[in-house]
Amino acid sequence: MPNVPGHPEAIVRPTAGEPGFEVERVAPRADLAEFVDYHWLVRWSVPKPHRQQVVPQPRVHVAAEDGQLLVHGISRSPFYRMLTGDGHVLGAAFHAGGFRPLLKGSLGAISGTVQPGRDLLTGDDRPVAERILAGTDSAEMIDVFERYLLRTDPVPDPTGREVTTLVGDAQRRRDVVRADQLAAHAGCSLRTLQRLFTDYVGIGPKWVIQRFRILDAAAAAHSGERIDWSALAYELGFSDQAHLTRVFTQVVGTPPATYQRAHGLL
């Protein structure tokens, strides 16, 4: 999907929640663009509870939910959100190397955790979250959110920009299927790249590369076209179709061909 920030293909079973929820993605203000890739606003109105799954990506999210701002470190585990009644959640999706200037420490320390903003960033996040969650106007909610984020006084970090670029290269280049290939592209040793990713992304380059290839497979499943999964597995750097099926099932919960058929995507 051109010109759409983020990864719409990360929404698992996208047709299952329609028309119960909608996702809006908004670019950040100029003085946050170094750090924040985009804001996302999810609104829902569901007659019965709906459990939505999203494939975790190599980026930190900060979201207003449950009366507070929560910082979601990168997680290896599947992410689920139960939607009930009417509501909304506003979040900021950070560039892969963009959150460290706000955290002012290694992202490896928050991997796999979800923590209140007041514990990691600045001041009491609850009044900000309450204003956002009581709001109705997207622009006003985002303005409140951004002013809170700017209170952390983030300073542009050249290394963070470099890491964001490398993660972007891993996303775009399907010929990069191993961490040592990305290290060679970066002009550094594999060990140096691993340390850099742990510090700035919160997880290693091998996971990042494989996660983008799984998102590529999800995008193929969502395309509505018949897919030669064996050929795609080879193209995405998996040893064979069984390898792709195993990893896709671990991330999404079902084999890709079954996923495409069972959820009306073919």
Side-chain angles (χ1 to χ4, degrees):
M1 186 179 299
N3 301 320
V4 176
H7 295 276
E9 65 272 18
I11 298 176
V12 177
R13 303 171 187 89
T15 59
E18 299 176 349
F21 72 92
E22 59 181 24
V23 182
E24 179 182 1
R25 297 178 178 87
V26 180
R29 56 193 288 174
D31 46 358
L32 276 173
E34 169 91 11
F35 316 104
V36 175
D37 189 3
Y38 62 92
H39 298 293
W40 50 266
L41 177 62
V42 179
R43 301 180 191 271
W44 65 86
S45 179
V46 292
K48 59 181 180 180
H50 170 73
R51 191 174 81 150
Q52 182 60 53
Q53 181 182 356
V54 179
V55 175
Q57 304 163 44
R59 61 170 80 240
V60 168
H61 291 264
V62 179
E65 50 187 326
D66 300 327
Q68 57 189 328
L69 293 181
L70 294 176
V71 178
H72 293 258
I74 292 179
S75 175
R76 297 177 181 272
S77 302
F79 177 82
Y80 299 93
R81 173 70 188 240
M82 185 65 72
L83 308 179
T84 58
D86 300 335
H88 67 267
V89 172
L90 173 65
F94 284 78
H95 292 297
F99 190 69
R100 196 184 191 286
L102 282 77
L103 183 65
K104 297 176 173 60
S106 173
L107 266 69
I110 64 169
S111 291
T113 72
V114 180
Q115 301 184 50
R118 58 189 173 277
D119 292 347
L120 297 177
L121 299 175
T122 179
D124 191 350
D125 58 282
R126 287 168 293 193
V128 174
E130 289 172 4
R131 288 184 62 188
I132 292 171
L133 295 173
T136 57
D137 182 84
S138 301
E140 291 179 359
M141 289 188 284
I142 290 172
D143 180 64
V144 170
F145 193 16
E146 291 188 323
R147 284 191 277 115
Y148 173 84
L149 295 175
L150 285 170
R151 291 209 304 267
T152 64
D153 295 323
V155 176
D157 184 338
T159 302
R161 287 196 296 267
E162 177 186 351
V163 170
T164 294
T165 298
L166 284 173
V167 171
D169 291 341
Q171 173 190 342
R172 290 184 294 270
R173 292 185 52 176
R174 285 188 173 185
D175 60 316
V176 174
V177 297
R178 301 192 314 273
D180 63 317
Q181 292 174 318
L182 189 60
H185 173 68
C188 66
S189 70
L190 178 57
R191 185 179 297 273
T192 296
L193 186 72
Q194 289 168 334
R195 286 198 299 264
L196 193 63
F197 270 53
T198 297
D199 194 18
Y200 276 82
V201 185
I203 203 162
K206 178 180 178 180
W207 185 96
V208 170
I209 294 168
Q210 188 177 82
R211 182 49 46 95
F212 282 134
R213 303 294 78 87
I214 288 299
L215 288 169
D216 288 337
H222 293 167
S223 70
E225 301 175 358
R226 293 191 179 277
I227 306 298
D228 182 338
W229 293 106
S230 179
L232 184 64
Y234 177 78
E235 180 183 346
L236 297 181
F238 292 92
S239 56
D240 52 25
Q241 183 177 347
H243 185 198
L244 169 62
T245 296
R246 182 170 65 254
V247 178
F248 191 96
T249 302
Q250 290 171 349
V251 175
V252 176
T254 188
T258 304
Y259 170 77
Q260 189 180 39
R261 289 193 306 268
H263 300 288
L265 300 169
L266 180 61

